[in-house]
Amino acid sequence: MIKHPPFKDQTPTAAFLEAFAEINERCPGKLMEYIAFQRPVDEKGRYLHFDEMRYRLKPELNAEWVWAVLRFSRDKQLTPLVVLGDPAVTCEYLQTPAIQQALSMVDRYTSASALDLMSSKIGEKTQLNHYLINDLIEDEAISSSQLEGAATTTLVAKEMLKRKRKPRTPDEKMILGNFMMMQFAWEQRHQPLSIELITDLHRIGVEGIDDAKYTPGRFRRTDDVVVVGKDNEIVHQPPPATALKERLRHFAGWINTCHDDAESNAYIHTLIKAITLHFTIGYEHPFRDGNGRVARGLFYWFMFKHDYTAFRYIAISTLLKKAPLQYGKSYLYTETDGMDLTYFIDYQSRIIVRAIRGFLDTYQKIRRDIEAFDRWLWDSGLYRQLNDKQRMLFNIAKDDHDQRFTVRGVEKNLGCSYNTAAAALNGLVELGLFRKQKEGREWVYVLLDKQAIQKSWKS
């Protein structure tokens, strides 16, 4: 159970003055130790909630007094962001070191222009990206579903999506729904946020799983939807269903308002708004189930909308599912501390920084692998026997040994004719690099392992 912060019924200034007076009266010799907490974050840059901070203090310090000093410091730096809930509350935030780092990395590495520059260094840009994009959409769809309880393994889920087979279980239906929802988010990136977009995203994501449970594309009409934690205790009671649509319509107006003027005090970075959108859907809980998936889908939609296209490669849910308790606490810390959105934005920023680093590591690995493969091709003499498309398919397969190719898939992803795709794949089989096997009515081509390739090439 989260320990709620003290002084909820007092302004930060009043609480600070009361604590200051008590410190002076009871332990004046420790005044400077308390004053040292007059900063929004700790020495490690963490924006701690009272629930966490109280365990990190010296035993002789009064946690409530420390909190009064800390809260007073934060209050002077908090910036109003958006009005949410019923009764309406003005949500505020401040930029922690983690948030500043995320803003910098998002601008440096995830914009369309940054992605174009990185892709140009890899070469063979358009075709290679097609396969990587598909993998990202798969990773986010699978991880987001697993975060919501889907029990299907990642390997089985990827096999279902790659082979486009029909889902066999409710968990597989959930993953397929998320996959379709991510595609829809990309396709609708030029549209403004609206009630219709939110409900369409939900319908596409959950329809056919358990319609009686999810009521696809329809807002809840009652207040019996709650979020429960450990031991089934209620940890979040969403705002009332009454006027839910009106509140979200008002919020959509804020999302659709341009806040890009850096010379105005109304400037808000795209990432801050995207994370706020993520939070708001989770907080309002407009649907009976599937709110988390819609919230994360809308985060991606907003980043896509503002040309941060590298987020097609960045799966945040893969990291969120590794620490679901912390993800949930970031919501609760905001709600229990006067709707201070810093907690949620800071946590999501840390996740995004890690996800971007993972994306950059993958990019560097692809660059190194392509360069090493090109050297091997040249040294072995195989280089002269492969055409451009065969080299590309081989590179893709080397990066993902589970990659399965079909003639139709290569035709679509490489933008070539059916005959050209077939010739490229069959040529790789003849050279001892791929094998082909019949699955249903079509041939599937897969990369041989390294030893088999070397043995085949030597022979």
Side-chain angles (χ1 to χ4, degrees):
M1 187 64 125
I2 290 175
K3 182 73 172 177
H4 288 213
F7 305 112
K8 288 185 66 175
D9 299 325
Q10 290 179 272
T11 66
T13 300
F16 174 75
L17 292 175
E18 178 183 314
F20 188 79
E22 291 197 31
I23 294 168
N24 262 331
E25 180 182 342
R26 299 185 188 182
C27 49
K30 292 189 178 296
L31 179 61
M32 294 312 297
E33 286 191 65
Y34 283 101
I35 293 299
F37 287 94
Q38 198 169 2
R39 58 181 186 231
V41 297
D42 70 1
E43 66 280 354
K44 295 183 178 180
R46 297 174 297 193
Y47 195 84
L48 296 176
H49 186 274
F50 181 76
D51 182 60
E52 295 179 302
M53 182 214 71
R54 61 196 174 113
Y55 294 116
R56 292 177 165 83
L57 300 176
K58 294 178 181 179
E60 62 268 22
L61 293 179
N62 182 304
E64 293 191 359
W65 294 349
V66 170
W67 181 254
V69 174
L70 181 63
R71 184 171 172 238
F72 178 70
S73 172
R74 289 177 178 177
D75 185 61
K76 294 178 177 298
Q77 299 182 50
L78 286 168
T79 299
L81 187 60
V82 66
V83 175
L84 297 178
D86 182 8
V89 177
T90 298
C91 302
E92 300 175 302
Y93 85 108
L94 63 81
Q95 287 196 17
T96 63
I99 294 173
Q100 293 173 25
Q101 183 182 29
L103 298 180
S104 174
M105 291 188 72
V106 162
D107 285 338
R108 290 172 63 193
Y109 300 117
T110 72
S111 67
S113 57
L115 184 59
D116 284 344
L117 177 61
M118 294 169 71
S119 297
S120 69
K121 293 180 180 179
I122 292 179
E124 302 158 342
K125 166 189 164 185
T126 303
Q127 297 89 336
L128 187 62
N129 285 359
H130 272 299
Y131 283 100
L132 292 177
I133 286 170
N134 287 339
D135 272 347
L136 171 275
I137 296 173
E138 290 169 5
D139 287 344
E140 177 59 30
I142 294 167
S143 298
S144 186
S145 298
Q146 290 169 336
L147 189 57
E148 299 294 320
T152 304
T153 66
T154 300
L155 186 63
V156 171
K158 277 185 173 288
E159 179 268 339
M160 174 189 71
L161 294 175
K162 288 184 186 299
R163 294 184 61 185
K164 298 183 179 179
R165 70 165 172 81
K166 291 184 178 180
R168 298 168 182 156
T169 66
D171 289 339
E172 288 188 352
K173 288 181 179 179
M174 187 189 298
I175 288 168
L176 180 61
N178 266 17
F179 180 77
M180 295 169 62
M181 189 169 67
M182 286 294 291
Q183 291 179 313
F184 182 76
W186 174 256
E187 293 164 359
Q188 299 298 311
R189 65 190 182 281
H190 299 305
Q191 300 302 316
L193 184 64
S194 64
I195 298 298
E196 292 70 29
L197 178 63
I198 297 171
T199 53
D200 283 349
L201 201 69
H202 183 260
R203 177 180 51 76
I204 289 168
V206 306
E207 196 167 43
I209 302 173
D210 182 344
D211 290 354
K213 173 185 176 182
Y214 285 94
T215 58
R218 295 193 348 238
F219 286 165
R220 60 181 172 89
R221 298 178 181 177
T222 61
D223 296 332
D224 59 340
V225 176
V226 296
V227 180
V228 297
K230 189 183 294 185
D231 300 325
N232 287 323
E233 83 273 18
I234 296 176
V235 296
H236 174 57
Q237 173 69 61
T242 305
L244 170 61
K245 187 176 291 187
E246 287 73 16
R247 291 196 303 275
L248 286 179
R249 187 173 285 116
H250 183 268
F251 176 73
W254 178 79
I255 283 289
N256 295 330
T257 299
C258 179
H259 293 101
D260 292 347
D261 185 0
E263 296 183 1
S264 165
N265 63 2
Y267 173 79
I268 306 172
H269 192 282
T270 295
L271 182 65
I272 301 298
K273 292 185 70 173
I275 295 175
T276 304
L277 174 54
H278 180 166
F279 174 87
T280 299
I281 299 301
Y283 176 72
E284 284 283 1
H285 240 63
F287 304 103
R288 298 199 65 82
D289 206 340
N291 294 283
R293 280 160 274 172
V294 173
R296 292 184 290 275
L298 284 170
F299 166 85
Y300 277 103
W301 165 81
F302 196 72
M303 297 305 288
F304 296 158
K305 183 178 182 65
H306 290 267
D307 284 334
Y308 290 100
T309 51
F311 272 88
R312 299 199 80 191
Y313 300 84
I314 299 168
I316 61 172
S317 293
T318 302
L319 297 173
L320 291 175
K321 77 173 184 178
K322 292 181 179 179
L325 184 62
Q326 290 304 115
Y327 179 34
K329 280 185 175 181
S330 67
Y331 272 105
L332 296 178
Y333 285 169
T334 287
E335 190 174 353
T336 57
D337 191 12
M339 293 299 282
D340 181 352
L341 274 170
T342 311
Y343 297 107
F344 189 80
I345 297 172
D346 181 272
Y347 179 72
Q348 290 294 319
S349 293
R350 292 173 185 273
I351 291 292
I352 288 164
V353 165
R354 288 168 58 196
I356 292 173
R357 283 175 175 161
F359 159 64
L360 294 175
D361 288 345
T362 300
Y363 161 73
Q364 293 296 345
K365 180 180 180 297
I366 291 172
R367 280 192 67 182
R368 289 193 300 269
D369 286 352
I370 290 176
E371 290 168 359
F373 174 61
D374 285 345
R375 287 194 298 272
W376 179 81
L377 283 176
W378 183 262
D379 294 342
S380 67
L382 186 56
Y383 183 86
R384 292 181 294 277
Q385 299 189 41
L386 291 181
N387 61 36
D388 289 343
K389 287 182 172 51
Q390 289 172 333
R391 291 178 60 205
M392 189 179 308
L393 292 170
F394 194 15
N395 275 326
I396 293 166
K398 278 179 82 271
D399 187 57
D400 180 4
H401 279 268
D402 293 326
Q403 183 72 54
R404 303 157 71 85
F405 299 89
T406 63
V407 175
R408 290 295 185 193
V410 171
E411 176 189 16
K412 176 183 177 182
N413 285 305
L414 298 194
C416 59
S417 70
Y418 182 90
N419 289 340
T420 299
L425 287 169
N426 287 319
L428 288 167
V429 173
E430 293 169 6
L431 287 167
L433 302 176
F434 279 31
R435 73 173 185 274
K436 71 176 183 177
Q437 57 201 42
K438 200 70 175 289
E439 294 186 3
R441 296 183 178 179
E442 64 182 350
W443 289 100
V444 174
Y445 298 77
V446 295
L447 178 69
L448 293 172
D449 62 44
K450 185 176 180 180
Q451 290 182 341
I453 291 172
Q454 290 174 334
K455 181 179 178 181
S456 173
W457 183 242
K458 286 179 182 178
S459 62

